[in-house]
Amino acid sequence: MNVTPYSAGCGALVSGIQLATLSDNEMTSLRDAFAEHGLLFFRDQDLPPVEHLRFAERFGSIVINKFFKATSDSSKIAEVRKEKTQQTNIGGGWHTDHSYDEIPAMGSILVARILPKTGGDTEFANLAAAYDALPPAMKKQIANLRAVHSNEHLYGENGVYRHTDLAEQLGGMDRVGDATHPVVIKHPESGRNVLYVNPGHTIQFEGWDFAESRVLLDELYAHVNQPQFTCSFNWLPGSVTFWDNRCTWHQAKNDYQGEARLMHRITLAGTALAAA
Ligand code: SIN
């Protein structure tokens, strides 16, 4: 198994293995690579839904997304679907999966099923590297803050998605909610300090009002969204991506209007997050 950096500050490309037939030793090496990089890319995988599920279950326990439709293969595999007639895509802005849960998701495993001829990349950001590079004064300012993460503004009755052409394929309007987490967490496996706020779900700092929160959040987001912490993954048939939701952001580019894109996502359960 070979693990090589994907870009200077973001992700790693894993080659020389098939996720469907990993030996126990390969699984151990893969766990180490996942803890180190938090974002792994794979090419040329033969991973039909049953093997996608088997690999996910070998790695951890699965948590079901409250809002996305499941595939006909399994209630544990969520569809991230955009039909050729749809304008809006799922996950088109920077976010971290399930940060609105009390116990946020550990990771997500995304498999390409239908791809547009060009475009439809997924972009990622490395939140451990971004935290390390914050100015000391900013680290001090955010050290003891907690932030509220919600999904209501996206998936609730009046949420952004309900007014788009995605509305029909989303459920769970009555299952919206929020959770509060430390702004700087200690990553449960790597032990690194990580900035844990994201543009999709973080709505304010605990004890601050929305306007005050917005100013500092925007400053943090601008810091993360720089080339040295981000990368873009170009999907090909057989591509798989496995990211750690505790130390990355991602967003799906919506630059392929008139074509369909279908991805299968399995989300793995995490543990409660502790402050750094
Ligand atoms: C997601 O936000 O989980 C989907 C990302 C993608 O479709 O590229």
Side-chain angles (χ1 to χ4, degrees):
M1 176 172 131
N2 301 308
V3 182
T4 48
Y6 183 74
S7 74
C10 183
L13 186 65
V14 182
S15 58
I17 53 162
Q18 278 296 320
L19 295 172
T21 55
L22 285 179
S23 67
D24 289 345
N25 282 345
E26 287 171 333
M27 193 69 183
T28 303
S29 304
L30 196 66
R31 282 185 193 280
D32 292 345
F34 188 69
E36 183 181 344
H37 298 282
L39 171 60
L40 302 178
F41 301 114
F42 307 85
R43 297 286 189 196
D44 302 319
Q45 296 295 310
D46 183 10
L47 205 67
V50 66
E51 297 298 346
H52 185 188
L53 201 54
R54 210 166 71 87
F55 168 63
E57 282 171 339
R58 276 185 84 186
F59 210 93
S61 46
I62 293 172
V63 58
I64 295 178
N65 184 277
K66 296 175 199 150
F67 308 109
F68 300 170
K69 271 197 182 145
T71 65
S72 53
D73 304 291
S74 167
S75 60
K76 295 177 177 173
I77 306 178
E79 278 191 350
V80 178
R81 178 186 285 278
K82 184 173 180 239
E83 300 290 3
K84 60 181 177 186
T85 50
Q86 284 178 310
Q87 298 295 309
T88 313
N89 68 338
I90 292 179
W94 284 120
H95 66 285
T96 299
D97 296 334
H98 298 202
S99 72
Y100 44 73
D101 285 338
E102 284 297 333
I103 301 194
M106 181 273 268
S108 302
I109 307 164
L110 194 68
V111 179
R113 297 297 179 204
I114 298 173
L115 292 171
K117 284 194 282 298
T118 58
D121 291 7
T122 307
E123 297 179 321
F124 293 89
N126 177 341
L127 275 291
Y131 174 81
D132 288 345
L134 280 173
M138 177 65 90
K139 285 185 178 164
K140 201 166 165 200
Q141 184 180 8
I142 63 175
N144 297 309
L145 293 180
R146 294 175 62 81
V148 182
H149 298 243
S150 177
N151 46 35
E152 189 161 2
H153 57 290
L154 297 174
Y155 302 104
E157 206 175 333
N158 291 310
V160 174
Y161 282 136
R162 301 291 167 193
H163 304 288
T164 69
D165 55 5
L166 276 182
E168 260 180 38
Q169 74 190 62
L170 296 172
M173 219 185 281
D174 52 337
R175 275 177 272 157
V176 290
D178 55 38
T180 303
H181 304 292
V183 168
V184 185
I185 60 164
K186 189 171 198 59
H187 189 278
E189 275 93 46
S190 70
R192 289 182 74 177
N193 289 358
V194 181
L195 181 63
Y196 193 74
V197 287
N198 69 86
H201 299 124
T202 311
I203 53 171
Q204 68 186 119
F205 297 109
E206 191 174 58
W208 294 34
D209 65 28
F210 284 109
E212 263 183 322
S213 300
R214 187 78 274 139
V215 175
L216 180 54
L217 285 171
D218 285 347
E219 207 177 323
L220 292 168
Y221 296 159
H223 169 78
V224 175
N225 196 4
Q226 298 188 73
Q228 64 269 37
F229 309 127
T230 54
C231 58
S232 186
F233 185 66
N234 163 237
W235 292 93
L236 297 170
S239 297
V240 176
T241 297
F242 185 13
W243 65 83
D244 185 328
N245 283 300
R246 289 91 44 100
C247 58
T248 57
W249 289 350
H250 60 280
Q251 63 178 352
K253 290 197 80 174
N254 191 8
D255 55 357
Y256 54 95
Q257 295 301 351
E259 290 189 77
R261 181 176 181 271
L262 173 65
M263 316 297 273
H264 282 180
R265 195 180 90 186
I266 297 183
T267 308
L268 296 176
T271 51
L273 298 174

